[in-house]
Amino acid sequence: MDSTLDCLALAGLAGAAFVLLTGCANMVLMFLLWLLYLSLVNVGQIWWVLRWESQLLETGFLGIFLCPLWSLSRLPQGSPPSRIVIWSFRWLIFRIMLGAGLIKIRGDRCWRELTCMDYHYETQPVPNPISYFMHRSPWWFHRFETLVNHFIELLVPFFLLLGRRMVILHGLLQILFQVLLIISGNLSFLNWLTVVPSLACFDDASLGLLFGSRLRDRAARLQRPGTQGQSPALGSCVRRVLNISLGLLITYLSIPVVLNLLSSRQVMNTSFNSLRIVNTYGAFGSITKERTEVILQGTSSLDPSDPTAVWEEFEFKCKPGDLRRRPCLISPYHYRLDWLMWFAAFQTYEQNEWIIHLAGKLLAQEEETLSLLATNPFAGRDPPRWIRGEHFRYKFSQPGGKHARDGKWWIRKRIGPYFPPVNLQGLRKFFEDRNWPYPVQD
């Protein structure tokens, strides 16, 4: 499985790098890139399918139809994007934003009471340094933020129906909103990706202000279909048929999505088809009011119950752990394990059996697993005999306060055990019952 995933990822990387570096793409190449990522997502369902995977698949699928059929020219003659494709992108950003707004209003009451931003910066999956200071903003500023969020997600999407100027304003507001989200937290490439369909709000006249007159004239000439009376090329005819087919497909697949948006039992981040072409979206329908963390600790002691046993902590690359470590800044990169640890912290280990699987790998000190962590307290020593999970409540320290002056970004208090001490031998049956390969010490 590892080799298969590596091959899929490397093939996708090579294709994407070619498009990025050369500026050349056609429908065939873009379809292959989309198919590769769909394969990765289908394999990933074993663990977790997150919103941005479906959103990337839908965005990538629409991107296929922006390109000429065969030509790999950087500026192909007579291949302007179809209005169908442009409006498909606008329909995508409409669903993303309206779905996010509706799930909030129908979900956690703190969105209706305008208090959710009192908690968001501290309890979001992976805060960054800006989150630390934004969390301490005045109460009235958090109320204002929440009102702006509702305006952007619930009202601005309808600007798409109000003519060219309002469509351009929609694009500007949505991009600005995504930039603010990028600055205030580590939400992977999600917000960067959401900028893409917003670009469809700008026509040539509005974008032409960014370029010189010579380039604008050249682009206008390239969009001309050719000499009058000349029959269109076969590729153009096929592309036109494909664009019309796209419009019909999007319309058909949008029916359950629209019904979901209108439903009081709206579900978010769901696909109604296996290809994940038209999906439902939403984010932070509920807000956790306290931040809890699972801290993995290991010991070399023979008896885990010995009060003199020394328990040492495994540090992850980005999620909160060490109280003195500054919150990381990694967007648009994504540490998937750190994100999953956030989910696990407000559930139980029985609901997240993979965390026991992780403990087994750490007991065996498997190098591939250790590469996902920031520090290994047992590096250069014998592997730990026992590993346990401890549950803590984390809060940001007060800027300029006692803890901050001591170099601490976080304050924590132990809640209790998350999972009991486990050793490698004791996990053998656990692994065998689930047909998992038993970890072998390197």
PDB file of all heavy atoms in Angstrom, residues 329-343:
ATOM      1  N   LEU A 329       3.363  28.012  12.144  1.00  0.00           N
ATOM      2  CA  LEU A 329       2.783  28.706  11.006  1.00  0.00           C
ATOM      3  C   LEU A 329       3.122  27.867   9.774  1.00  0.00           C
ATOM      4  O   LEU A 329       4.231  27.930   9.258  1.00  0.00           O
ATOM      5  CB  LEU A 329       3.357  30.114  10.890  1.00  0.00           C
ATOM      6  CG  LEU A 329       2.751  31.033   9.828  1.00  0.00           C
ATOM      7  CD1 LEU A 329       1.274  31.282  10.098  1.00  0.00           C
ATOM      8  CD2 LEU A 329       3.502  32.353   9.768  1.00  0.00           C
ATOM      9  N   ILE A 330       2.173  27.061   9.290  1.00  0.00           N
ATOM     10  CA  ILE A 330       2.493  26.102   8.226  1.00  0.00           C
ATOM     11  C   ILE A 330       1.590  26.192   7.010  1.00  0.00           C
ATOM     12  O   ILE A 330       1.877  25.585   5.984  1.00  0.00           O
ATOM     13  CB  ILE A 330       2.430  24.655   8.756  1.00  0.00           C
ATOM     14  CG1 ILE A 330       1.058  24.383   9.380  1.00  0.00           C
ATOM     15  CG2 ILE A 330       3.553  24.362   9.701  1.00  0.00           C
ATOM     16  CD1 ILE A 330       0.758  22.922   9.557  1.00  0.00           C
ATOM     17  N   SER A 331       0.456  26.909   7.105  1.00  0.00           N
ATOM     18  CA  SER A 331      -0.462  26.980   5.964  1.00  0.00           C
ATOM     19  C   SER A 331       0.281  27.500   4.725  1.00  0.00           C
ATOM     20  O   SER A 331       1.083  28.437   4.841  1.00  0.00           O
ATOM     21  CB  SER A 331      -1.614  27.920   6.309  1.00  0.00           C
ATOM     22  OG  SER A 331      -2.484  28.076   5.222  1.00  0.00           O
ATOM     23  N   PRO A 332       0.078  26.893   3.535  1.00  0.00           N
ATOM     24  CA  PRO A 332      -0.924  25.900   3.165  1.00  0.00           C
ATOM     25  C   PRO A 332      -0.524  24.448   3.378  1.00  0.00           C
ATOM     26  O   PRO A 332      -1.252  23.561   2.950  1.00  0.00           O
ATOM     27  CB  PRO A 332      -1.112  26.182   1.674  1.00  0.00           C
ATOM     28  CG  PRO A 332       0.240  26.615   1.206  1.00  0.00           C
ATOM     29  CD  PRO A 332       0.816  27.402   2.351  1.00  0.00           C
ATOM     30  N   TYR A 333       0.641  24.204   4.016  1.00  0.00           N
ATOM     31  CA  TYR A 333       1.017  22.812   4.277  1.00  0.00           C
ATOM     32  C   TYR A 333       0.103  22.229   5.355  1.00  0.00           C
ATOM     33  O   TYR A 333      -0.561  22.964   6.087  1.00  0.00           O
ATOM     34  CB  TYR A 333       2.480  22.737   4.715  1.00  0.00           C
ATOM     35  CG  TYR A 333       3.056  21.342   4.653  1.00  0.00           C
ATOM     36  CD1 TYR A 333       3.324  20.738   3.433  1.00  0.00           C
ATOM     37  CD2 TYR A 333       3.312  20.622   5.814  1.00  0.00           C
ATOM     38  CE1 TYR A 333       3.845  19.452   3.372  1.00  0.00           C
ATOM     39  CE2 TYR A 333       3.826  19.345   5.760  1.00  0.00           C
ATOM     40  CZ  TYR A 333       4.081  18.765   4.535  1.00  0.00           C
ATOM     41  OH  TYR A 333       4.586  17.493   4.474  1.00  0.00           O
ATOM     42  N   HIS A 334       0.075  20.915   5.426  1.00  0.00           N
ATOM     43  CA  HIS A 334      -0.884  20.261   6.321  1.00  0.00           C
ATOM     44  C   HIS A 334      -0.240  19.051   6.988  1.00  0.00           C
ATOM     45  O   HIS A 334       0.247  18.150   6.295  1.00  0.00           O
ATOM     46  CB  HIS A 334      -2.103  19.819   5.506  1.00  0.00           C
ATOM     47  CG  HIS A 334      -3.128  19.061   6.296  1.00  0.00           C
ATOM     48  ND1 HIS A 334      -3.641  19.523   7.488  1.00  0.00           N
ATOM     49  CD2 HIS A 334      -3.739  17.870   6.059  1.00  0.00           C
ATOM     50  CE1 HIS A 334      -4.519  18.648   7.949  1.00  0.00           C
ATOM     51  NE2 HIS A 334      -4.597  17.645   7.107  1.00  0.00           N
ATOM     52  N   TYR A 335      -0.205  19.063   8.322  1.00  0.00           N
ATOM     53  CA  TYR A 335       0.213  17.883   9.085  1.00  0.00           C
ATOM     54  C   TYR A 335      -1.039  17.100   9.445  1.00  0.00           C
ATOM     55  O   TYR A 335      -1.732  17.425  10.406  1.00  0.00           O
ATOM     56  CB  TYR A 335       0.980  18.292  10.341  1.00  0.00           C
ATOM     57  CG  TYR A 335       2.338  18.877  10.067  1.00  0.00           C
ATOM     58  CD1 TYR A 335       2.681  20.153  10.517  1.00  0.00           C
ATOM     59  CD2 TYR A 335       3.293  18.158   9.355  1.00  0.00           C
ATOM     60  CE1 TYR A 335       3.924  20.691  10.262  1.00  0.00           C
ATOM     61  CE2 TYR A 335       4.546  18.692   9.100  1.00  0.00           C
ATOM     62  CZ  TYR A 335       4.854  19.960   9.558  1.00  0.00           C
ATOM     63  OH  TYR A 335       6.092  20.489   9.304  1.00  0.00           O
ATOM     64  N   ARG A 336      -1.324  16.076   8.696  1.00  0.00           N
ATOM     65  CA  ARG A 336      -2.583  15.352   8.849  1.00  0.00           C
ATOM     66  C   ARG A 336      -2.698  14.679  10.214  1.00  0.00           C
ATOM     67  O   ARG A 336      -3.764  14.658  10.834  1.00  0.00           O
ATOM     68  CB  ARG A 336      -2.712  14.305   7.738  1.00  0.00           C
ATOM     69  CG  ARG A 336      -4.095  13.699   7.628  1.00  0.00           C
ATOM     70  CD  ARG A 336      -4.126  12.630   6.547  1.00  0.00           C
ATOM     71  NE  ARG A 336      -5.474  12.158   6.326  1.00  0.00           N
ATOM     72  CZ  ARG A 336      -6.265  12.592   5.365  1.00  0.00           C
ATOM     73  NH1 ARG A 336      -5.847  13.561   4.569  1.00  0.00           N
ATOM     74  NH2 ARG A 336      -7.481  12.113   5.210  1.00  0.00           N
ATOM     75  N   LEU A 337      -1.594  14.119  10.720  1.00  0.00           N
ATOM     76  CA  LEU A 337      -1.642  13.435  12.009  1.00  0.00           C
ATOM     77  C   LEU A 337      -1.985  14.422  13.126  1.00  0.00           C
ATOM     78  O   LEU A 337      -2.782  14.111  14.015  1.00  0.00           O
ATOM     79  CB  LEU A 337      -0.307  12.743  12.292  1.00  0.00           C
ATOM     80  CG  LEU A 337      -0.219  11.993  13.625  1.00  0.00           C
ATOM     81  CD1 LEU A 337      -1.308  10.926  13.740  1.00  0.00           C
ATOM     82  CD2 LEU A 337       1.168  11.361  13.793  1.00  0.00           C
ATOM     83  N   ASP A 338      -1.396  15.600  13.091  1.00  0.00           N
ATOM     84  CA  ASP A 338      -1.696  16.621  14.104  1.00  0.00           C
ATOM     85  C   ASP A 338      -3.191  16.975  14.076  1.00  0.00           C
ATOM     86  O   ASP A 338      -3.812  17.164  15.122  1.00  0.00           O
ATOM     87  CB  ASP A 338      -0.867  17.876  13.852  1.00  0.00           C
ATOM     88  CG  ASP A 338       0.611  17.637  14.054  1.00  0.00           C
ATOM     89  OD1 ASP A 338       1.159  16.692  13.449  1.00  0.00           O
ATOM     90  OD2 ASP A 338       1.229  18.383  14.816  1.00  0.00           O
ATOM     91  N   TRP A 339      -3.745  17.063  12.872  1.00  0.00           N
ATOM     92  CA  TRP A 339      -5.166  17.398  12.719  1.00  0.00           C
ATOM     93  C   TRP A 339      -6.032  16.289  13.312  1.00  0.00           C
ATOM     94  O   TRP A 339      -7.006  16.542  14.020  1.00  0.00           O
ATOM     95  CB  TRP A 339      -5.461  17.593  11.232  1.00  0.00           C
ATOM     96  CG  TRP A 339      -6.815  18.143  10.925  1.00  0.00           C
ATOM     97  CD1 TRP A 339      -7.997  17.458  10.916  1.00  0.00           C
ATOM     98  CD2 TRP A 339      -7.135  19.485  10.586  1.00  0.00           C
ATOM     99  NE1 TRP A 339      -9.034  18.283  10.576  1.00  0.00           N
ATOM    100  CE2 TRP A 339      -8.533  19.543  10.366  1.00  0.00           C
ATOM    101  CE3 TRP A 339      -6.380  20.648  10.428  1.00  0.00           C
ATOM    102  CZ2 TRP A 339      -9.192  20.717  10.010  1.00  0.00           C
ATOM    103  CZ3 TRP A 339      -7.039  21.806  10.069  1.00  0.00           C
ATOM    104  CH2 TRP A 339      -8.421  21.841   9.867  1.00  0.00           C
ATOM    105  N   LEU A 340      -5.671  15.031  13.037  1.00  0.00           N
ATOM    106  CA  LEU A 340      -6.457  13.909  13.559  1.00  0.00           C
ATOM    107  C   LEU A 340      -6.365  13.822  15.080  1.00  0.00           C
ATOM    108  O   LEU A 340      -7.318  13.404  15.743  1.00  0.00           O
ATOM    109  CB  LEU A 340      -5.975  12.596  12.931  1.00  0.00           C
ATOM    110  CG  LEU A 340      -6.273  12.432  11.439  1.00  0.00           C
ATOM    111  CD1 LEU A 340      -5.695  11.120  10.926  1.00  0.00           C
ATOM    112  CD2 LEU A 340      -7.764  12.487  11.163  1.00  0.00           C
ATOM    113  N   MET A 341      -5.245  14.225  15.642  1.00  0.00           N
ATOM    114  CA  MET A 341      -5.117  14.248  17.098  1.00  0.00           C
ATOM    115  C   MET A 341      -6.083  15.257  17.719  1.00  0.00           C
ATOM    116  O   MET A 341      -6.556  15.070  18.845  1.00  0.00           O
ATOM    117  CB  MET A 341      -3.674  14.572  17.499  1.00  0.00           C
ATOM    118  CG  MET A 341      -2.677  13.466  17.185  1.00  0.00           C
ATOM    119  SD  MET A 341      -2.935  11.970  18.173  1.00  0.00           S
ATOM    120  CE  MET A 341      -2.400  12.525  19.785  1.00  0.00           C
ATOM    121  N   TRP A 342      -6.384  16.331  16.983  1.00  0.00           N
ATOM    122  CA  TRP A 342      -7.364  17.312  17.460  1.00  0.00           C
ATOM    123  C   TRP A 342      -8.748  16.673  17.549  1.00  0.00           C
ATOM    124  O   TRP A 342      -9.463  16.856  18.527  1.00  0.00           O
ATOM    125  CB  TRP A 342      -7.373  18.514  16.515  1.00  0.00           C
ATOM    126  CG  TRP A 342      -8.389  19.570  16.836  1.00  0.00           C
ATOM    127  CD1 TRP A 342      -8.339  20.484  17.844  1.00  0.00           C
ATOM    128  CD2 TRP A 342      -9.611  19.840  16.133  1.00  0.00           C
ATOM    129  NE1 TRP A 342      -9.441  21.305  17.814  1.00  0.00           N
ATOM    130  CE2 TRP A 342     -10.241  20.936  16.766  1.00  0.00           C
ATOM    131  CE3 TRP A 342     -10.230  19.277  15.013  1.00  0.00           C
ATOM    132  CZ2 TRP A 342     -11.449  21.468  16.332  1.00  0.00           C
ATOM    133  CZ3 TRP A 342     -11.436  19.805  14.575  1.00  0.00           C
ATOM    134  CH2 TRP A 342     -12.036  20.883  15.237  1.00  0.00           C
ATOM    135  N   PHE A 343      -9.126  15.910  16.521  1.00  0.00           N
ATOM    136  CA  PHE A 343     -10.410  15.212  16.557  1.00  0.00           C
ATOM    137  C   PHE A 343     -10.455  14.207  17.701  1.00  0.00           C
ATOM    138  O   PHE A 343     -11.451  14.089  18.418  1.00  0.00           O
ATOM    139  CB  PHE A 343     -10.663  14.484  15.235  1.00  0.00           C
ATOM    140  CG  PHE A 343     -11.141  15.378  14.128  1.00  0.00           C
ATOM    141  CD1 PHE A 343     -10.289  15.746  13.099  1.00  0.00           C
ATOM    142  CD2 PHE A 343     -12.440  15.857  14.104  1.00  0.00           C
ATOM    143  CE1 PHE A 343     -10.726  16.560  12.066  1.00  0.00           C
ATOM    144  CE2 PHE A 343     -12.886  16.676  13.080  1.00  0.00           C
ATOM    145  CZ  PHE A 343     -12.028  17.031  12.053  1.00  0.00           C
TER     146      PHE A 343
END
